[in-house]
Amino acid sequence: MAGPETDPTGADLENRRILYGRRQGRRLRTGQQTVLAEGLARYGMERPDAGARVDPAALFQPAIRRYWLEVGFGGGEHLAWQAARNPEVGMLGAEPFVNGVAGLLAHLQRDGLANVRVLPDDARPLIDGLPDAAIERAFVLHPDPWPKARHHKRRFVQRSNLDRLARVMADGAELRLATDDLDYLDWMLEHALDHPHFEWQARGPEAWRERPEDWPVTRYEEKAVREGRRSWRILLRRRARPSG
Ligand SMILES: C[S@@+](CC[C@H](N)C(=O)[O-])C[C@H]1O[C@@H](n2cnc3c(N)ncnc32)[C@H](O)[C@@H]1O
């Protein structure tokens, strides 16, 4: 019997299909289609093939030497906010939801930001292509909670993806997680605390109340607040690799 169908990245297609939610929502208007086509020509990157290396320095002209990564940027408001305030940082963003990608590209074009590269696809092949310790900060903000127990394996925050991130994150790099789902919060903490390469930065109960100035509200957080929920932030740090 044939094994699971695989795509050129080696990813199991079934796994690709189920990890993220919708790829397209409302049909894009003509103007949005233009933004998407022009924006991807300027900011887009190709999905790396399995085993292919991604040299982040080659993605930016003029050259940029520091890189942050956002997984599942949704409408892109947070990524554009960070890019505008950190012009010395190359922002890499991955998002398979095409309407979200069009949203980010509209922000980038409107604000004339040059320090962003966008993969309109699953973040995992991009992460797998990056060099060790290349990323100084990573964001996974309000990943889909997949509330049913039988769907928990679809959650982005799980051991295999934390391993991926740990490899590409520099010593001391921050990993910022957020969720408005209490069950996913528990799950994130359990997986983070269990992971040998990440350390939770909370210094006490006030960690739940404090919002770092450079951590703006995302669209999903706004929605959660409108609907009477709150969002929980988890700040992790990539532990230093053993020397020698
Ligand atoms: C609930 S939305 C949150 C969007 C945004 N971060 C925010 O806080 O407003 C989660 C997003 O993660 C994206 N996503 C899911 N799996 C992903 C993956 N493997 N790689 C990249 N993005 C993914 C989804 O397409 C969706 O847009």
Side-chain angles (χ1 to χ4, degrees), residues 24 26 33 36 55 67-68 78 112 124 131 148 168 173 182 195 204 208 216 224 229 231:
Q24 171 126 35
R26 207 174 300 135
Q33 286 173 17
L36 187 69
D55 175 8
Y67 314 106
W68 294 1
H78 173 269
R124 293 170 298 171
K148 292 183 182 150
V168 299
L182 269 178
H195 199 286
W208 297 121
R229 298 186 304 281
S231 172

Side-chain angles (χ1 to χ4, degrees), residues 89-222:
V89 172
M91 295 288 307
L92 306 176
E95 169 58 66
F97 186 52
V98 74
N99 304 59
V101 174
L104 171 65
L105 294 171
H107 282 294
L108 301 182
Q109 287 166 325
R110 192 194 55 213
D111 300 344
L113 297 173
N115 56 325
V116 178
R117 290 297 173 267
V118 179
L119 176 68
D121 209 328
D122 186 345
R124 293 170 298 171
L126 168 61
I127 301 172
D128 289 346
L130 288 169
D132 290 357
I135 298 294
E136 290 188 11
R137 186 171 292 181
F139 307 91
V140 185
L141 305 176
H142 304 98
D144 300 304
W146 294 110
K148 292 183 182 150
R150 70 174 190 278
H151 292 155
H152 284 176
K153 59 180 180 295
R154 303 179 184 189
R155 288 176 164 175
F156 190 86
V157 176
Q158 52 176 294
R159 179 61 192 243
S160 55
N161 288 335
L162 289 176
D163 287 347
R164 283 190 159 89
L165 288 168
R167 184 187 68 76
V168 299
M169 288 176 68
D171 290 359
E174 275 184 13
L175 171 58
R176 295 183 174 191
L177 306 177
T179 183
D180 61 351
D181 182 291
L182 269 178
D183 179 61
Y184 203 1
L185 176 68
D186 273 354
W187 168 286
M188 282 178 176
L189 281 174
E190 189 185 317
H191 282 73
L193 295 176
D194 219 32
H195 199 286
H197 299 328
F198 289 104
E199 189 175 27
W200 189 21
Q201 294 298 291
R203 274 180 284 275
E206 66 278 9
W208 297 121
R209 287 191 294 275
E210 288 166 357
R211 169 187 292 283
E213 273 175 21
D214 64 347
W215 193 323
V217 175
T218 73
R219 188 188 287 203
Y220 266 78
E221 181 169 353
E222 277 173 5

Side-chain angles (χ1 to χ4, degrees), residues 19-133:
L19 185 66
Y20 37 80
R22 297 176 305 165
R23 287 204 70 130
Q24 171 126 35
R26 207 174 300 135
R27 196 165 180 277
L28 296 179
R29 294 188 305 274
T30 313
Q32 289 173 306
Q33 286 173 17
T34 308
V35 166
L36 187 69
E38 291 178 0
L40 285 178
R42 176 165 176 202
Y43 296 102
M45 69 173 102
E46 293 292 321
R47 186 166 190 270
D49 290 335
R53 297 283 93 195
V54 177
D55 175 8
L59 295 171
F60 297 97
Q61 281 90 33
I64 292 185
R65 302 278 168 226
R66 299 177 52 202
Y67 314 106
W68 294 1
L69 168 74
E70 183 162 350
V71 172
F73 54 71
E77 297 85 359
H78 173 269
L79 194 152
W81 191 98
Q82 294 291 359
R85 281 156 189 81
N86 299 283
E88 74 291 359
V89 172
M91 295 288 307
L92 306 176
E95 169 58 66
F97 186 52
V98 74
N99 304 59
V101 174
L104 171 65
L105 294 171
H107 282 294
L108 301 182
Q109 287 166 325
R110 192 194 55 213
D111 300 344
L113 297 173
N115 56 325
V116 178
R117 290 297 173 267
V118 179
L119 176 68
D121 209 328
D122 186 345
R124 293 170 298 171
L126 168 61
I127 301 172
D128 289 346
L130 288 169
D132 290 357

